[in-house]
Amino acid sequence: MNKPQKFFLIMLLIASLPINVLADWQDHIDNLYKTGSQQAEISQRKAISIAQQHIKGRVLDIRRSDDIYRIKILSDQGSIHVVMVSAKDGTIKTGY
């Protein structure tokens, strides 16, 4: 590697450092603004467990839109149900 290539590589590395540092700093600031009263969101697995307590059966599909999990369940009787579960607190929003 010749001298201009080394110089360019070093400058490229130096220039990329602030971007990484700023991104890490922003993540740290975002975490600081979260209060202790805010709960972590529930996982897909937990949402499925909650929905299956409401409707017994096999999960066909799960999708998340904003703060709601939409879980499609094939009941043991053969009918399809959709259960909406809050991603924030796990409460059932709707089920049919």
Side-chain angles (χ1 to χ4, degrees):
M1 193 181 285
N2 61 30
K3 203 168 193 172
Q5 287 176 331
K6 286 181 184 178
F7 177 77
F8 178 73
L9 181 59
I10 291 171
M11 293 306 292
L12 183 63
L13 289 172
I14 291 172
S16 67
L17 282 177
I19 294 169
N20 294 335
V21 170
L22 286 175
D24 291 342
W25 179 79
Q26 185 63 44
D27 288 342
H28 180 69
I29 293 298
D30 289 344
N31 289 335
L32 287 177
Y33 281 110
K34 292 181 180 177
T35 64
S37 64
Q38 289 179 328
Q39 295 178 350
E41 294 183 345
I42 66 168
S43 66
Q44 278 190 359
R45 183 170 288 173
K46 180 68 175 171
I48 289 170
S49 174
I50 292 167
Q52 285 181 320
Q53 288 173 10
H54 187 67
I55 302 287
K56 304 288 186 223
R58 191 179 84 182
V59 174
L60 299 175
D61 188 36
I62 181 169
R63 295 177 189 223
R64 181 171 173 173
S65 177
D66 296 324
D67 292 332
I68 301 290
Y69 286 109
R70 180 182 179 274
I71 303 162
K72 190 184 293 186
I73 298 176
L74 175 63
S75 75
D76 295 337
Q77 290 75 33
S79 57
I80 295 176
H81 301 267
V82 176
V83 180
M84 308 290 235
V85 177
S86 169
K88 289 192 180 267
D89 58 11
T91 57
I92 294 177
K93 296 298 183 183
T94 60
Y96 57 90

